[in-house]
Amino acid sequence: MMKKLVLLALASAATFVLPAVVMAQEVKPPEVNISGVHLNHEENQIVQYMSDDEFYKFKQTYELSNGNTLSLFSRFNNKYAKLGDGTWHRIVATGPNSFVSKDHQLKMEINLQNDDKVSGYLLMPAASPAVAGNDVTSVAYVKVVFR
């Protein structure tokens, strides 16, 4: 009887500990390819140093073709992008006019022209309905252009 109680206690403890161990493991975002564009910057994008002076010309709010806005700004030597009223995404330069977010959510190319016009694109996750079971094996991305 005592052995059964000990085994029952151990089995009960395992049901609480095992899910916590599984949840504690880091979940890496899926790698995403769209028309040859790969958002996993650590493996496929070369991060380039961009000084605050070089980044200054990009610090503004841009209008996007989907009606949203994209704001670029810096705080404490870090560069950030923000869509509308959304969350901040820390970004790094991958070229003289291209950036990717460190959380793999945004990729952009911004071409500033002499007549105060902007061209380029922003690649971001598409809004999608919740999937049963939260199965996130693939993510759809949309490409919007600057207006």
Side-chain angles (χ1 to χ4, degrees):
M1 177 72 172
M2 188 64 156
K3 287 182 185 180
K4 287 183 182 179
L5 287 176
V6 170
L7 288 175
L8 184 60
L10 287 174
S12 297
T15 60
F16 292 109
V17 173
L18 188 56
V21 170
V22 171
M23 291 170 62
Q25 293 177 352
E26 182 177 330
V27 177
K28 186 175 180 182
E31 296 178 357
V32 179
N33 283 311
I34 293 183
S35 304
V37 177
H38 199 288
L39 289 185
N40 192 340
H41 75 276
E42 295 171 338
E43 294 175 7
N44 295 309
Q45 299 286 331
I46 297 173
V47 176
Q48 295 186 2
Y49 173 76
M50 180 179 283
S51 71
D52 288 337
D53 291 337
E54 292 171 302
F55 186 66
Y56 181 78
K57 64 185 174 188
F58 296 103
K59 292 166 103 176
Q60 57 182 300
T61 298
Y62 303 93
E63 291 185 30
L64 302 173
S65 60
N66 65 353
N68 208 344
T69 58
L70 173 72
S71 300
L72 298 186
F73 55 97
S74 61
R75 296 285 188 270
F76 307 110
N77 296 324
N78 292 314
K79 298 160 185 62
Y80 295 93
K82 183 173 103 168
L83 280 169
D85 294 329
T87 60
W88 298 10
H89 299 270
R90 186 169 174 206
I91 59 174
V92 292
T94 56
N97 63 334
S98 58
F99 305 91
V100 67
S101 66
K102 294 188 69 79
D103 63 1
H104 311 285
Q105 297 297 304
L106 306 173
K107 178 180 176 129
M108 64 204 80
E109 182 177 301
I110 303 171
N111 302 306
L112 302 174
Q113 300 164 1
N114 292 336
D115 56 357
D116 290 332
K117 295 198 181 217
V118 178
S119 65
Y121 68 89
L122 169 68
L123 198 58
M124 63 182 183
S128 61
V131 178
N134 294 328
D135 181 20
V136 185
T137 56
S138 65
V139 178
Y141 282 78
V142 294
K143 188 175 192 177
V144 293
V145 296
F146 293 92
R147 290 201 274 181

